[in-house]
Amino acid sequence: QHHPPRRALATGGKQQLERLVGEYLLRQGYFESLGLLEEEGGRTQQGLFDLDIFLECREVERQLVEGRDCMAALAWCADHASKLRRLGSALEFQLHKQHFLELVRRKDRIQALEYASQHLSPTAPSSAAAAAGGAGGAAAAAPGLSAEQLLEIQQAMATLALADPEACTVPEYQRLFSVERWVELGGL
C-alpha cells in the first residue's frame, strides 16, 4: 500500500481546517479575522476565499430575508442557471412561487395569474432552461415539474380564492404567508 508522506497529510489537513474556519468566519461576518487568517496562511491561502462572491450572495440573501424581495435572488438565479441546473436546485422555482404568493398577499390576483402562467406553468421557460437553450437566444421549455412541485403550485393557486390570505386559519396556507417562509428561502 502507498501512504502519502506525513508532511503532505499535515499540510493538506491544515489547509482544510483553515478553509473550514475561513468559511465560518465569512458566514459570521468576521471579515477582518478572515483577512488575518489569509495573511497568516501566506501563499497557500491565496484564492482560497472569494470574498466578493460571498458578499454578493449575502446581499441577495439579505434582500430576500429582510427586504422580502425575490427579484435580486431571481436575477442571481438567472446569472447562475447552469450551476443550479447541474445541482438540481429548486431555488428558482421556490422564488417564483414566493413572488406569486406576494402578489396574492397584495390582492393583485390578475397579475398573480399572469405571473403564474409565465413562471409556474410546466411549460414556462426557466433560467436554467434558457441557459441550455443554445443559439438564437430561444429559451427551451422547462423540463417537467416534479409531482411535489405540481402539488405546491396547486396549493399556491388555491390561495387566489382566499378573501384575506394572511387571515386564513388553515395551517397549510398560514405557512405560505408566514415570515418564516422568507427565512427558509434565505437558507436555500
Side-chain angles (χ1 to χ4, degrees):
Q1 287 184 347
H2 174 66
H3 296 286
R6 282 183 165 262
R7 180 150 175 84
L9 283 175
T11 304
K14 181 180 179 199
Q15 190 172 18
Q16 186 176 17
L17 178 62
E18 288 173 348
R19 177 183 287 275
L20 289 170
V21 170
E23 288 177 7
Y24 173 80
L25 293 173
L26 276 172
R27 284 184 176 74
Q28 298 303 314
Y30 298 124
F31 304 120
E32 290 178 29
S33 297
L34 178 65
L36 292 173
L37 178 67
E38 286 183 319
E39 284 176 21
E40 185 179 302
R43 288 189 5 225
T44 62
Q45 292 298 322
Q46 288 180 348
L48 195 57
F49 307 107
D50 194 336
L51 189 57
D52 293 337
I53 290 174
F54 180 81
L55 291 174
E56 175 189 4
C57 289
R58 190 169 185 150
E59 177 58 21
V60 167
E61 180 183 5
R62 187 193 66 72
Q63 288 180 28
L64 189 61
V65 175
E66 294 173 20
R68 297 185 187 164
D69 182 11
C70 295
M71 297 309 29
L74 284 166
W76 185 90
C77 285
D79 291 344
H80 298 89
S82 63
K83 291 177 188 172
L84 292 171
R85 185 179 63 252
R86 278 195 308 267
L87 293 171
S89 173
L91 177 61
E92 183 181 14
F93 169 79
Q94 291 298 329
L95 291 169
H96 281 303
K97 184 176 93 172
Q98 186 65 35
H99 186 71
F100 167 82
L101 291 168
E102 288 307 301
L103 292 170
V104 172
R105 181 193 312 265
R106 293 191 311 232
K107 297 182 174 115
D108 193 349
R109 288 175 172 81
I110 300 297
Q111 187 164 354
L113 280 170
E114 290 172 0
Y115 191 84
S117 69
Q118 291 174 354
H119 301 286
L120 296 175
S121 159
T123 59
S126 69
S127 296
L145 296 169
S146 71
E148 182 180 325
Q149 288 173 326
L150 289 172
L151 288 173
E152 288 183 50
I153 291 170
Q154 288 175 346
Q155 184 183 37
M157 295 301 286
T159 64
L160 288 166
L162 300 172
D164 186 0
E166 293 181 283
C168 180
T169 58
V170 178
E172 291 81 12
Y173 298 111
Q174 279 181 326
R175 190 178 102 39
L176 291 175
F177 294 101
S178 73
V179 174
E180 289 80 26
R181 174 104 173 105
W182 290 100
V183 175
E184 288 173 21
L185 285 171
L188 294 177

